[in-house]
């Protein structure tokens, strides 16, 4: 729990003196000859990313000295959460950004232990004076929720469990929940039905709302594919290995919704999550099938592995019907986004330059990397179908993330601002504040952008 990691001020704590390479010489002079010798014996000279524990002469730790450099990853101090012995610490000295240091500390302390892996107790941090503890805790709690949902194996995070998780988030803030499944799905959300029908666990559309009707309408849509085999166009083993995370969009949107409701932002929030398992069975949808979407567009199936855009198409069409002020979707939509930008930098798409600029600022402020890519309309030609309104998989292999984004955009006409995120939801190799495994990409940046836009 983040609140057990980031403590309110007051109480005893061990000092962590943060020094830059330039500040080291001056700080060193304030230490006794013995302690200077101890630092030298430990090979510590204020190097960024390293730290040394100073003895108090009575068998305890007097203080910690941690090296830091301007321009380093602002989460790098967070590494101390797992590098220091259990105990309570407080930061002093050259802390460039105390908010990101505290946030990085909390995010680093996450460990997924549901299946038996154990973690040592993380070091605890006293919340720095200048930092609003509630802001950090809200962000960390949302990230923990998202990571837990994504890290959970598909055997324990199928459509039923994802619905339960969504209901729990909604219930905690008294949001109104509606779930459509069965026959109603066939007529109202035919693409969700067809993509999800081969699974032993029924597909569904989760829809919850919170906040006053008159407030600006913000609608979040999250891809909830609890496992993506690829369908009949089955993925190879290497491509399927991580596909428990194909509900990463849903998990990220649920964490974001929790933040918005906890902070009581002045919005009418709506969350839509189409939930399916893209499974293989005799009744699975097939390449060559034509689906009629909620919006009435007919979609020829070029590839059953391009399933996310299908279920999102129906959810976006529903969202668009009430003309929301801001419509956002988050989805682990394409492998091509990783080819373009790698695992750490998710692309987002919008035609609203002001929103894009605000997101860019929020992304930097929150150390939550994002990169804008274009809705490049001319590539829409790649989706041409001989028999239907469009095909679901341009077969050229070009611009896979852009074309997927354009496909989704076909289902949005009335929303004032539309933003699509093609996220990875995963950290393949640990970095400060980003343990290996599930990650809540874009969540804090979006929250901050929405908070600035609509206030609370
Ligand atoms: N869930 C995948 C995309 C994905 C793969 C995200 C790996 C992150 C990591 C999606 O449903 C998919 O399979 N997309 C295909 C689309 C193609 C068939 C047009 C892809 O990207 O290869
Ligand atoms: Mn797929
Ligand atoms: Zn998928």
């Amino acid at each position: 729990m983040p609140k057990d990691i980031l403590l309110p001020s007051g109480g005893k704590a061990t000092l962590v003196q943060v020094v830059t390479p330039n500040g080291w010489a001056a700080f060193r002079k304030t230490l006794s000859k013995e302690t200077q010798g101890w630092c030298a014996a430990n090979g510590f000279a204020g190097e960024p990313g390293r730290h040394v524990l100073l003895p108090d002469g009575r068998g305890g730790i007097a203080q910690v000295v941690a090296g830091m450099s301007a321009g380093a990853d602002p989460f790098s101090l967070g590494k101390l959460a797992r590098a220091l012995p259990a105990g309570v610490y407080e930061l002093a000295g050259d802390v460039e950004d105390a908010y990101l240091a505290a946030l990085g500390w909390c995010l680093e302390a996450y460990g997924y232990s549901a299946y038996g892996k154990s973690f040592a107790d993380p070091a605890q941090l006293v919340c720095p004076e200048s930092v609003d503890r509630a802001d950090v805790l809200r962000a960390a709690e949302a990230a923990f929720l998202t990571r837990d949902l994504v890290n959970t194996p598909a055997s324990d995070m199928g459509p039923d469990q994802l619905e339960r998780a969504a209901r729990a988030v909604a219930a905690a803030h008294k949001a109104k929940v509606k779930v459509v499944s069965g026959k109603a799905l066939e007529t109202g959300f035919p693409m969700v039905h067809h993509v999800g029908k081969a699974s032993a666990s029924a597909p569904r559309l989760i829809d919850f709302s919170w906040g006053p009707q008159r407030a600006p309408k913000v609608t979040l849509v999250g891809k909830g594919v609890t496992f993506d085999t690829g369908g009949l166009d089955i993925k190879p083993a290497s491509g399927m290995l991580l596909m428990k995370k194909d509900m990463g969009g849903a998990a990220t949107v649920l964490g974001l919704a929790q933040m918005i409701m906890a902070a009581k932002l002045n919005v009418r929030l709506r969350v839509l999550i189409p939930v399916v398992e893209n499974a293989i069975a005799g009744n699975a949808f097939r390449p060559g099938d034509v689906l009629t979407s909620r919006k009435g567009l007919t979609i020829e199936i070029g590839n059953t592995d391009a399933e996310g855009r299908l279920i999102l198409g129906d959810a976006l069409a529903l969202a668009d019907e009430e003309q929301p002020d801001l419509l956002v979707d988050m989805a682990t939509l394409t492998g091509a986004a990783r080819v373009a930008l790698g695992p750490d930098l998710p692309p987002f798409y919008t035609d609203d330059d002001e929103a894009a600029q605000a997101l860019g600022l929020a992304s930097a402020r929150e150390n939550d990397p994002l990169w804008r890519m274009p809705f490049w309309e001319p590539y829409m030609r790649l989706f041409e179908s001989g028999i239907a309104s469009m095909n679901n998989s341009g077969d050229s292999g070009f611009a896979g993330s852009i074309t997927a984004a354009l496909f989704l955009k076909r289902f949005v006409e009335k929303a004032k601002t539309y933003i699509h995120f093609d996220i990875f939801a995963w950290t393949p190799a640990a970095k400060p504040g980003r343990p290996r495994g599930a990650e809540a990409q874009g969540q804090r940046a979006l929250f901050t952008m929405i908070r600035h836009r609509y206030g609370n």
Side-chain angles (χ1 to χ4, degrees):
M1 290 289 270
K3 71 176 179 2
D4 303 322
I5 300 160
L6 186 69
L7 307 178
S9 49
K12 271 200 9 215
T14 303
L15 208 66
V16 177
Q17 182 72 34
V18 179
V19 296
T20 60
N22 286 337
W24 166 246
F27 177 73
R28 185 172 167 276
K29 290 203 190 98
T30 67
L31 303 173
S32 69
K33 277 280 166 292
E34 288 77 15
T35 306
Q36 291 183 23
W38 175 261
C39 292
N42 279 279
F44 181 81
E47 294 90 345
R50 298 197 52 210
H51 71 276
V52 64
L53 308 181
L54 304 184
D56 66 0
R58 282 169 281 122
I61 301 170
Q63 63 168 312
V64 180
V65 187
M68 179 71 189
S69 69
D73 183 331
F75 280 169
S76 56
L77 281 174
K79 275 201 305 197
L80 296 171
R82 290 250 170 247
L84 293 176
V88 180
Y89 299 85
E90 68 186 329
L91 295 172
D94 286 319
V95 183
E96 223 184 45
D97 190 319
Y99 167 69
L100 291 180
L103 180 60
W105 190 295
C106 289
L107 293 175
E108 175 77 12
Y110 174 85
Y112 185 66
S113 54
Y115 294 83
K117 190 172 166 62
S118 62
F119 294 86
D121 285 342
Q124 296 157 289
L125 180 69
V126 172
C127 189
E129 286 277 321
S130 60
V131 174
D132 185 337
R133 181 167 174 259
D135 279 348
V136 180
L137 292 183
R138 192 191 308 112
E141 273 157 15
F144 280 31
L145 168 69
T146 300
R147 289 171 177 180
D148 280 348
L149 294 175
V150 174
N151 278 327
T152 304
S155 55
D156 288 325
M157 189 47 66
D160 280 331
Q161 291 96 335
L162 186 53
E163 175 183 339
R164 213 168 307 151
R167 283 187 184 279
V169 170
H173 298 277
K174 301 194 165 67
K176 268 222 210 63
V177 189
K178 249 178 36 197
V179 177
V180 182
S181 45
K183 271 265 170 270
L185 215 50
E186 273 175 60
T187 48
F189 305 93
M191 296 203 288
V192 179
H193 163 70
H194 285 293
V195 173
K197 68 190 176 184
S199 170
S201 184
R204 61 208 74 189
L205 185 105
I206 300 165
D207 178 355
F208 71 76
S209 300
W210 172 92
Q213 272 305 319
R214 300 174 320 282
K217 289 184 166 55
V218 173
T219 300
L220 311 176
V221 180
K223 173 175 171 180
V225 176
T226 60
F227 194 76
D228 185 8
T229 64
L232 290 173
D233 288 312
I234 189 169
K235 287 179 182 293
S238 60
M240 207 187 296
L241 189 60
L242 270 179
M243 283 299 118
K244 68 172 183 180
K245 76 174 175 68
D246 214 18
M247 33 60 76
T252 306
V253 154
L254 284 175
L256 173 57
Q258 178 180 288
M259 290 178 84
I260 290 172
M261 296 187 291
K264 299 192 163 57
L265 297 194
N266 176 37
V267 297
R268 194 300 319 259
L269 175 70
R270 186 180 195 188
V271 174
L272 295 174
I273 303 180
V275 183
V276 301
E277 180 189 359
N278 190 16
I280 299 173
N283 65 338
F285 78 124
R286 312 165 190 81
D289 284 357
V290 175
L291 313 185
T292 302
S293 75
R294 175 183 183 86
K295 205 177 164 61
L297 296 167
T298 54
I299 314 294
E300 181 184 13
I301 303 305
N303 194 318
T304 60
D305 199 10
E307 84 296 341
R309 62 196 72 182
L310 300 172
I311 64 170
L312 289 167
D314 276 351
L316 286 169
L318 170 67
D320 198 54
E321 285 162 18
E322 63 170 355
Q323 219 174 322
D325 294 275
L326 175 62
L327 174 54
V328 176
D329 81 72
M330 305 188 91
T332 49
L333 200 62
T334 71
R338 268 68 268 166
V339 177
L341 299 177
D344 304 340
L345 188 58
F348 69 92
Y349 297 80
T350 182
D351 284 334
D352 182 336
D353 291 342
E354 224 170 279
Q357 197 186 13
L359 253 179
L361 292 172
S363 152
R365 176 72 203 96
E366 295 291 333
N367 197 22
D368 187 6
L370 293 171
W371 199 259
R372 188 181 186 186
M373 299 233 290
F375 277 127
W376 186 257
E377 285 291 341
Y379 287 160
M380 200 57 213
R381 68 170 186 274
L382 301 174
F383 284 120
E384 249 168 53
S385 161
I387 61 172
S389 314
M390 52 187 180
N391 194 290
N392 79 327
S393 73
D395 57 0
S396 72
F398 290 139
S401 179
I402 295 180
T403 52
L406 286 171
F407 186 96
L408 295 183
K409 195 162 165 260
R410 282 298 157 276
F411 297 88
V412 179
E413 283 175 330
K414 300 191 206 131
K416 294 212 188 80
T417 296
Y418 170 53
I419 315 177
H420 157 62
F421 289 80
D422 194 340
I423 59 174
F424 194 53
W426 196 262
T427 302
K431 282 171 281 297
R434 307 178 205 269
R436 186 177 176 281
E439 190 51 282
Q441 295 178 328
Q443 188 173 69
R444 290 188 307 279
L446 252 173
F447 173 79
T448 300
M449 182 269 219
I450 292 171
R451 183 195 223 177
H452 284 159
R453 204 170 161 114
Y454 303 112
N456 55 348

